Coordinates of all heavy atoms in Angstrom, one line a residue:
P148 N 0.9 -1.6 -9.1 CA -0.4 -0.9 -9.3 C -1.5 -1.9 -9.4 O -1.3 -3.0 -9.9 CB -0.3 -0.1 -10.6 CG 1.1 -0.4 -11.1 CD 1.8 -1.3 -10.2
L149 N -2.7 -1.6 -8.8 CA -3.8 -2.5 -8.9 C -5.0 -1.9 -9.7 O -5.3 -2.5 -10.7 CB -4.3 -2.9 -7.5 CG -5.4 -3.9 -7.3 CD1 -5.0 -5.2 -8.0 CD2 -5.8 -4.1 -5.9
E150 N -5.5 -0.8 -9.2 CA -6.6 -0.2 -10.0 C -6.9 1.2 -9.4 O -6.4 1.5 -8.4 CB -7.9 -1.0 -10.1 CG -8.7 -1.1 -8.8 CD -10.0 -1.9 -9.0 OE1 -9.9 -3.1 -9.4 OE2 -11.0 -1.3 -8.8
T151 N -7.7 1.9 -10.2 CA -8.2 3.2 -9.7 C -9.7 3.2 -9.6 O -10.4 2.7 -10.5 CB -7.8 4.4 -10.7 OG1 -6.4 4.4 -10.9 CG2 -8.3 5.7 -10.3
I152 N -10.2 3.6 -8.5 CA -11.7 3.6 -8.2 C -12.1 5.0 -8.5 O -11.6 6.0 -7.9 CB -12.0 3.2 -6.8 CG1 -11.5 1.8 -6.5 CG2 -13.5 3.3 -6.5 CD1 -11.6 1.4 -5.1
H153 N -13.1 5.2 -9.4 CA -13.7 6.5 -9.6 C -14.9 6.6 -8.7 O -15.9 5.9 -8.8 CB -14.1 6.6 -11.1 CG -13.0 6.6 -12.0 ND1 -12.3 7.7 -12.4 CD2 -12.3 5.5 -12.6 CE1 -11.3 7.4 -13.2 NE2 -11.3 6.0 -13.3
C154 N -14.8 7.5 -7.7 CA -15.7 7.5 -6.6 C -17.1 7.9 -7.0 O -18.1 7.5 -6.3 CB -15.2 8.5 -5.5 SG -13.7 8.0 -4.8
Q155 N -17.3 8.6 -8.1 CA -18.7 9.0 -8.6 C -19.4 7.8 -9.3 O -20.6 7.8 -9.4 CB -18.6 10.1 -9.6 CG -18.1 11.4 -9.0 CD -19.0 12.0 -7.9 OE1 -20.2 11.8 -8.0 NE2 -18.4 12.6 -6.9
Q156 N -18.6 6.8 -9.7 CA -19.1 5.7 -10.4 C -19.2 4.4 -9.6 O -20.0 3.5 -9.9 CB -18.3 5.4 -11.7 CG -18.2 6.5 -12.6 CD -17.1 6.3 -13.7 OE1 -16.4 5.3 -13.7 NE2 -16.9 7.3 -14.5
T157 N -18.4 4.3 -8.6 CA -18.3 3.0 -7.8 C -18.2 3.4 -6.3 O -17.5 4.3 -5.9 CB -17.0 2.3 -8.2 OG1 -17.0 2.1 -9.6 CG2 -16.9 0.9 -7.5
D158 N -18.9 2.6 -5.5 CA -18.8 2.7 -4.1 C -17.4 2.2 -3.7 O -17.1 1.0 -3.8 CB -19.9 1.9 -3.4 CG -19.8 1.9 -1.9 OD1 -18.9 2.7 -1.3 OD2 -20.5 1.2 -1.2
P159 N -16.5 3.1 -3.2 CA -15.1 2.7 -2.9 C -15.0 1.6 -1.8 O -14.2 0.7 -1.9 CB -14.4 4.0 -2.4 CG -15.4 5.1 -2.6 CD -16.7 4.5 -3.0
I160 N -15.8 1.8 -0.7 CA -15.8 0.8 0.4 C -16.2 -0.6 -0.2 O -15.5 -1.6 0.1 CB -16.7 1.2 1.5 CG1 -16.3 2.6 2.1 CG2 -16.8 0.2 2.6 CD1 -15.2 2.6 3.0
E161 N -17.2 -0.7 -0.9 CA -17.7 -2.0 -1.5 C -16.6 -2.6 -2.4 O -16.3 -3.8 -2.3 CB -19.0 -1.8 -2.2 CG -19.6 -3.0 -2.7 CD -20.9 -2.8 -3.4 OE1 -21.8 -2.0 -2.8 OE2 -21.1 -3.3 -4.5
R162 N -16.0 -1.7 -3.3 CA -15.0 -2.2 -4.2 C -13.8 -2.7 -3.5 O -13.2 -3.8 -3.8 CB -14.7 -1.2 -5.2 CG -13.6 -1.6 -6.3 CD -14.2 -2.8 -7.1 NE -13.1 -3.3 -8.0 CZ -12.9 -4.5 -8.3 NH1 -13.8 -5.4 -7.9 NH2 -12.0 -4.9 -9.1
I163 N -13.3 -1.9 -2.5 CA -12.1 -2.3 -1.7 C -12.4 -3.6 -1.0 O -11.5 -4.5 -0.9 CB -11.7 -1.2 -0.8 CG1 -11.2 0.0 -1.6 CG2 -10.7 -1.7 0.2 CD1 -10.9 1.3 -0.8
N164 N -13.6 -3.8 -0.4 CA -13.9 -5.0 0.3 C -13.9 -6.2 -0.7 O -13.4 -7.3 -0.3 CB -15.3 -4.9 1.0 CG -15.2 -4.4 2.4 OD1 -14.5 -5.0 3.2 ND2 -15.8 -3.3 2.6
T165 N -14.4 -6.0 -1.9 CA -14.3 -7.1 -2.9 C -12.9 -7.5 -3.2 O -12.5 -8.6 -3.3 CB -15.1 -6.6 -4.2 OG1 -16.4 -6.4 -3.9 CG2 -15.0 -7.7 -5.3
L166 N -12.0 -6.5 -3.4 CA -10.6 -6.7 -3.7 C -9.9 -7.4 -2.6 O -9.0 -8.3 -2.8 CB -9.9 -5.4 -4.1 CG -10.3 -4.8 -5.5 CD1 -9.8 -3.4 -5.6 CD2 -9.8 -5.7 -6.6
I167 N -10.2 -7.0 -1.4 CA -9.6 -7.6 -0.2 C -9.9 -9.1 -0.2 O -9.0 -9.9 0.1 CB -10.1 -6.9 1.1 CG1 -9.4 -5.5 1.2 CG2 -9.8 -7.8 2.3 CD1 -10.0 -4.7 2.3
E168 N -11.2 -9.5 -0.4 CA -11.5 -10.9 -0.5 C -10.9 -11.6 -1.6 O -10.3 -12.7 -1.5 CB -13.0 -11.0 -0.5 CG -13.7 -10.6 0.8 CD -15.2 -10.8 0.8 OE1 -15.7 -11.7 0.0 OE2 -15.9 -10.1 1.5
Q169 N -10.9 -11.0 -2.8 CA -10.4 -11.7 -4.0 C -8.9 -11.9 -3.9 O -8.4 -12.9 -4.3 CB -10.6 -10.8 -5.3 CG -12.1 -10.8 -5.7 CD -12.3 -9.9 -6.9 OE1 -11.5 -9.0 -7.2 NE2 -13.4 -10.0 -7.5
R170 N -8.2 -10.9 -3.4 CA -6.7 -10.9 -3.3 C -6.2 -11.4 -2.0 O -5.0 -11.5 -1.8 CB -6.2 -9.5 -3.6 CG -6.5 -8.9 -4.9 CD -5.8 -9.6 -6.0 NE -6.1 -9.0 -7.3 CZ -5.1 -8.6 -8.1 NH1 -3.9 -8.8 -7.8 NH2 -5.4 -8.1 -9.3
Q171 N -7.1 -11.8 -1.1 CA -6.7 -12.3 0.2 C -5.7 -11.4 0.9 O -4.7 -11.8 1.5 CB -6.1 -13.7 0.1 CG -7.1 -14.7 -0.5 CD -6.6 -16.1 -0.7 OE1 -5.4 -16.3 -0.6 NE2 -7.5 -17.0 -0.9
V172 N -6.1 -10.1 1.0 CA -5.3 -9.1 1.6 C -5.2 -9.3 3.1 O -6.1 -9.7 3.7 CB -5.9 -7.7 1.3 CG1 -5.2 -6.6 2.1 CG2 -5.8 -7.4 -0.2
K173 N -4.0 -9.1 3.6 CA -3.7 -9.4 5.1 C -3.6 -8.1 5.9 O -3.8 -8.1 7.1 CB -2.4 -10.1 5.2 CG -2.3 -11.4 4.5 CD -3.1 -12.5 5.1 CE -2.9 -13.9 4.6 NZ -2.8 -14.2 3.2
Q174 N -3.4 -6.9 5.2 CA -3.4 -5.7 5.9 C -3.5 -4.5 4.9 O -3.3 -4.7 3.8 CB -2.1 -5.5 6.8 CG -0.8 -5.7 6.1 CD 0.3 -5.8 7.1 OE1 0.2 -5.1 8.2 NE2 1.3 -6.5 6.8
I175 N -3.9 -3.4 5.5 CA -4.2 -2.2 4.7 C -3.3 -1.0 5.1 O -3.1 -0.8 6.3 CB -5.7 -1.8 4.8 CG1 -6.6 -3.0 4.5 CG2 -6.0 -0.6 4.0 CD1 -8.0 -2.8 5.0
I176 N -2.8 -0.3 4.1 CA -1.9 0.8 4.3 C -2.6 2.0 3.6 O -2.8 2.0 2.4 CB -0.5 0.6 3.8 CG1 0.2 -0.5 4.7 CG2 0.3 1.9 4.0 CD1 -0.2 -1.9 4.4
I177 N -2.9 3.0 4.4 CA -3.5 4.2 3.8 C -2.6 5.4 3.9 O -2.1 5.7 5.0 CB -4.9 4.5 4.5 CG1 -5.8 3.3 4.4 CG2 -5.5 5.8 4.0 CD1 -7.2 3.5 5.0
G178 N -2.5 6.1 2.8 CA -1.7 7.4 2.9 C -2.4 8.4 3.6 O -3.6 8.7 3.4
L179 N -1.7 9.1 4.5 CA -2.3 10.1 5.4 C -1.7 11.5 4.9 O -0.4 11.7 5.0 CB -2.0 9.9 6.9 CG -2.7 10.7 7.9 CD1 -4.2 10.5 7.8 CD2 -2.2 10.4 9.3
P180 N -2.5 12.4 4.4 CA -2.0 13.6 3.9 C -1.7 14.7 5.0 O -2.5 15.4 5.4 CB -3.1 14.2 3.0 CG -4.4 13.6 3.6 CD -4.0 12.3 4.2
L181 N -0.4 14.6 5.4 CA 0.0 15.5 6.5 C 0.4 16.9 5.8 O 0.8 16.9 4.7 CB 1.2 15.0 7.2 CG 1.0 13.6 8.0 CD1 2.2 13.1 8.6 CD2 -0.2 13.8 9.0
R182 N 0.3 17.9 6.6 CA 0.8 19.2 6.2 C 2.3 19.1 6.1 O 3.0 18.2 6.7 CB 0.4 20.3 7.2 CG -1.1 20.5 7.2 CD -1.4 21.6 8.3 NE -2.8 21.9 8.3 CZ -3.5 22.2 9.4 NH1 -2.8 22.2 10.6 NH2 -4.8 22.4 9.4
M183 N 2.9 20.1 5.4 CA 4.4 20.1 5.3 C 5.1 20.2 6.6 O 6.2 19.7 6.7 CB 4.9 21.2 4.3 CG 4.4 21.0 2.9 SD 4.8 19.3 2.2 CE 6.6 19.5 2.0
D184 N 4.5 20.7 7.6 CA 5.1 20.8 9.0 C 4.9 19.5 9.8 O 5.3 19.4 10.9 CB 4.6 22.0 9.7 CG 3.2 22.0 10.1 OD1 2.4 21.0 9.8 OD2 2.7 23.0 10.8
G185 N 4.2 18.5 9.2 CA 4.0 17.2 9.8 C 2.7 17.1 10.6 O 2.4 16.1 11.2
T186 N 1.9 18.2 10.7 CA 0.7 18.2 11.5 C -0.5 17.7 10.6 O -0.4 17.7 9.4 CB 0.3 19.5 12.1 OG1 0.2 20.5 11.0 CG2 1.4 20.0 13.0
E187 N -1.6 17.3 11.2 CA -2.8 16.8 10.5 C -3.7 18.0 10.4 O -3.9 18.8 11.3 CB -3.4 15.7 11.3 CG -2.6 14.4 11.3 CD -3.4 13.2 11.8 OE1 -4.6 13.3 11.9 OE2 -2.7 12.3 12.2
G188 N -4.4 18.0 9.2 CA -5.4 19.1 8.9 C -6.7 18.4 8.6 O -6.9 17.2 8.9
S189 N -7.6 19.1 7.9 CA -8.9 18.6 7.6 C -8.8 17.5 6.6 O -9.6 16.5 6.6 CB -9.8 19.7 7.0 OG -9.2 20.3 5.9
A190 N -7.8 17.5 5.7 CA -7.7 16.4 4.7 C -7.3 15.1 5.4 O -7.9 14.0 5.1 CB -6.6 16.7 3.7
A191 N -6.5 15.1 6.4 CA -6.1 13.9 7.2 C -7.3 13.4 8.0 O -7.6 12.2 8.1 CB -5.0 14.2 8.2
A192 N -8.2 14.4 8.5 CA -9.4 14.0 9.2 C -10.3 13.2 8.3 O -10.9 12.2 8.7 CB -10.1 15.2 9.8
K193 N -10.5 13.6 7.1 CA -11.3 12.9 6.1 C -10.8 11.5 5.8 O -11.6 10.6 5.7 CB -11.4 13.7 4.8 CG -12.2 15.0 4.8 CD -12.2 15.7 3.5 CE -12.9 17.0 3.6 NZ -12.9 17.7 2.3
I194 N -9.5 11.4 5.7 CA -8.9 10.1 5.5 C -9.1 9.2 6.7 O -9.4 8.0 6.6 CB -7.4 10.2 5.2 CG1 -7.2 11.0 3.9 CG2 -6.8 8.8 5.0 CD1 -7.9 10.6 2.7
R195 N -9.0 9.7 7.9 CA -9.2 8.9 9.1 C -10.7 8.5 9.2 O -11.0 7.3 9.6 CB -8.8 9.7 10.4 CG -7.3 9.8 10.5 CD -6.9 10.3 11.9 NE -5.4 10.4 12.0 CZ -4.6 9.4 12.3 NH1 -5.1 8.2 12.4 NH2 -3.3 9.6 12.4
D196 N -11.6 9.3 8.8 CA -13.0 9.0 8.7 C -13.2 7.8 7.7 O -13.9 6.9 8.0 CB -13.9 10.2 8.4 CG -14.0 11.2 9.5 OD1 -13.6 10.9 10.7 OD2 -14.4 12.3 9.2
F197 N -12.6 8.0 6.5 CA -12.7 6.9 5.5 C -12.2 5.6 6.1 O -12.8 4.6 5.9 CB -12.0 7.3 4.3 CG -11.8 6.2 3.3 CD1 -12.9 5.9 2.4 CD2 -10.7 5.5 3.2 CE1 -12.8 4.8 1.5 CE2 -10.5 4.5 2.3 CZ -11.6 4.1 1.4
A198 N -11.0 5.7 6.7 CA -10.4 4.5 7.3 C -11.3 3.8 8.3 O -11.4 2.6 8.3 CB -9.1 4.8 7.9
N199 N -11.9 4.6 9.1 CA -12.9 4.1 10.2 C -14.1 3.4 9.5 O -14.5 2.3 9.9 CB -13.3 5.2 11.1 CG -12.3 5.6 12.1 OD1 -11.3 4.8 12.4 ND2 -12.3 6.8 12.5

Side-chain angles (χ1 to χ4, degrees):
L149 184 58
E150 74 176 60
T151 300
I152 299 171
H153 296 271
C154 298
Q155 296 295 327
Q156 300 168 359
T157 306
D158 176 6
I160 301 281
E161 185 177 311
R162 180 63 185 146
I163 291 169
N164 272 300
T165 299
L166 290 169
I167 286 170
E168 288 181 29
Q169 287 176 346
R170 300 292 185 126
Q171 299 178 346
V172 169
K173 303 288 191 314
Q174 53 190 329
I175 303 166
I176 293 74
I177 300 180
L179 191 63
L181 300 176
R182 295 179 178 145
M183 292 310 287
D184 67 0
T186 61
E187 292 188 21
S189 60
K193 287 180 185 178
I194 300 306
R195 288 192 182 278
D196 289 343
F197 170 79
N199 287 334

